[in-house]
Amino acid sequence: MFKPSSLIGTLATLTITFTAATASAEEPRLYDWPDSTAPVAIVSEKGLIFLHKDGKPYRAYSWRTNKGDDPIAHVTDIDRNGSPEVVGVGTPTFAVASNGDAIWFNKKGCKIGLVADMAFDTKLEILCSDKRRINVVTWDNQQAWSVDLGRSFRSCKLGDTNGDLKADVECNLSKTQIARLDGGGELITADAEESMIQTEPYEPYEPVGTSDMDNKQTYDFDKNGTADEYLMMEDNLFVVQSKANPKPLSMIEIGKKPLATLVKDLDGDGNMEIVVLTEKEVLVLSPDGKRKDRFSIDAKKYKRAPVADLQSVYANNFTDNEAAQKTIKAMEADLAKCYASTVKKSEFAGSGQLLLELKADKDGKVTKINKLHSEIAGKSVVSCAEKTLKKAKLPASAEDNTGTVNVTMYFTFRDQ
């Protein structure tokens, strides 16, 4: 591995020229997201928003984006599992999985954050720099290598410069001088004058635009067997129009032409929703106009709430097993409170499953709880869940046998 000290001397005599950075001005992007729970994603300088299948906000992440021309976020499949992830760049810098859960976060953040396959292992690495030191981590935030160039630099980019199919690193030391390192951190040259990177370092997951409006893509919104409805703008109105009927199915005032539109059955009920992105809002509409929900794309406006999703409750050996199950399910809100402090501590709190086995005596009193499996790092969460469930008033066990309840819960959160 390249040793930083050998490069410091090489660069010591360079004169660095700085220019003022201009503020990035990326338009908000709308993604047809391949997750059944979070089927829509929006990336903007105001944050990352996932919409739930119910059409309402599900997850909201905010960060302070960097100034300049570098991307505020990379949307691509960093672990090559077939689904895209989001790498937000700035303070903090983080990676979020396709299901909306945080994979990792760097609280200090990166002034430069780039993504490419530098190890030629198909998966992508993340370059994080404070414009002096270069740190490269794997997709799951494991340290790969680190180099201190010894001097500040202006910007960097990644791409294959020598045909070995691995992304190399080029950092601009001045307007005319480039330091080039290979994908493993070894110095190639500190005196390059022109970039050798010609291709994009990764294949981005493409956002949707307004092509369905521009091309008047037709849909069978009224379910009459003919796809003759389409989307259009009329003055400041967003209109669902029919070729067969002069009267629109619906009209809603949105002002300027939307940045993106998406027609998708969000919850799988067979009815299409229309998602419309503007500069400040995301709208979820029904074709008939009965639903007209508007949500801000500013992630800071949402409040996080803990969730204890009771995925499975199975009761056995009670006089009324169904009543025992209902008793536990009714405790979902109280169990969610056990995760409140964890969610409050970090915007990038994780999610995890907990499996418990409850044993109850002939009077329905919980006498023992066995932890069968836990993905929860905090012991206090598990302890709180056990204490909460011990308060359950269950039916009597059948024929003096011990009643048992197996509970599978998933601790997570939702932004509202």
Side-chain angles (χ1 to χ4, degrees), residues 138-279:
T138 58
W139 69 270
D140 57 351
N141 203 34
Q142 303 300 311
Q143 183 76 39
W145 54 268
S146 180
V147 169
D148 191 332
L149 295 186
R151 298 292 296 270
S152 297
F153 44 88
R154 298 154 53 89
S155 62
C156 298
K157 61 180 178 178
L158 305 179
D160 187 7
T161 64
N162 54 15
D164 64 356
L165 304 180
K166 295 189 294 184
D168 306 304
V169 183
E170 288 185 347
C171 294
N172 295 315
L173 305 169
S174 70
K175 288 184 177 180
T176 59
Q177 207 148 18
I178 298 171
R180 184 176 297 124
L181 299 88
D182 71 12
E186 296 284 347
L187 176 67
I188 298 174
T189 179
D191 299 313
E193 296 181 357
E194 294 183 3
S195 173
M196 294 178 62
I197 296 175
Q198 303 295 327
T199 59
E200 294 295 324
Y202 66 87
E203 184 177 351
Y205 192 73
E206 293 295 338
V208 299
T210 57
S211 60
D212 53 355
M213 288 182 62
D214 300 336
N215 301 325
K216 292 192 175 180
Q217 171 70 42
T218 56
Y219 303 91
D220 184 13
F221 286 139
D222 59 8
K223 295 189 174 182
N224 67 353
T226 304
D228 53 10
E229 287 81 45
Y230 59 94
L231 312 178
M232 62 175 288
M233 284 294 293
E234 185 175 299
D235 296 326
N236 65 340
L237 297 174
F238 182 79
V239 181
V240 180
Q241 184 67 58
S242 172
K243 291 182 178 181
N245 191 337
K247 183 179 180 181
L249 269 70
S250 63
M251 303 174 72
I252 182 171
E253 185 174 346
I254 64 170
K256 296 180 181 179
K257 181 180 178 180
L259 300 175
T261 57
L262 172 64
V263 177
K264 186 173 185 178
D265 180 3
L266 301 181
D267 57 4
D269 67 352
N271 297 312
M272 291 293 187
E273 283 78 32
I274 303 170
V275 183
V276 181
L277 178 67
T278 69
E279 290 181 353

Side-chain angles (χ1 to χ4, degrees), residues 281-356:
E281 293 181 314
V282 58
L283 295 84
V284 179
L285 315 173
S286 60
D288 60 9
K290 292 181 179 179
R291 179 175 187 173
K292 298 178 181 179
D293 292 338
R294 294 175 179 263
F295 306 105
S296 172
I297 62 171
D298 187 348
K300 291 182 179 179
K301 292 187 175 182
Y302 293 91
K303 185 177 181 180
R304 182 148 295 177
V307 174
D309 179 14
L310 293 180
Q311 298 176 326
S312 173
V313 178
Y314 177 74
N316 189 37
N317 286 332
F318 291 95
T319 53
D320 190 335
N321 290 328
E322 186 177 348
Q325 291 171 190
K326 287 182 178 179
T327 297
I328 300 300
K329 289 179 180 179
M331 304 179 77
E332 196 169 60
D334 289 333
L335 288 165
K337 295 176 184 177
C338 295
Y339 209 53
S341 61
T342 300
V343 168
K344 188 176 181 180
K345 286 177 184 177
S346 173
E347 183 180 7
F348 299 93
S351 302
Q353 194 177 66
L354 176 64
L355 279 68
L356 299 176

Side-chain angles (χ1 to χ4, degrees), residues 61-75:
Y61 296 100
S62 63
W63 71 101
R64 187 171 73 248
T65 59
N66 295 327
K67 304 298 182 182
D69 297 327
D70 288 341
I72 60 174
H74 304 277
V75 184

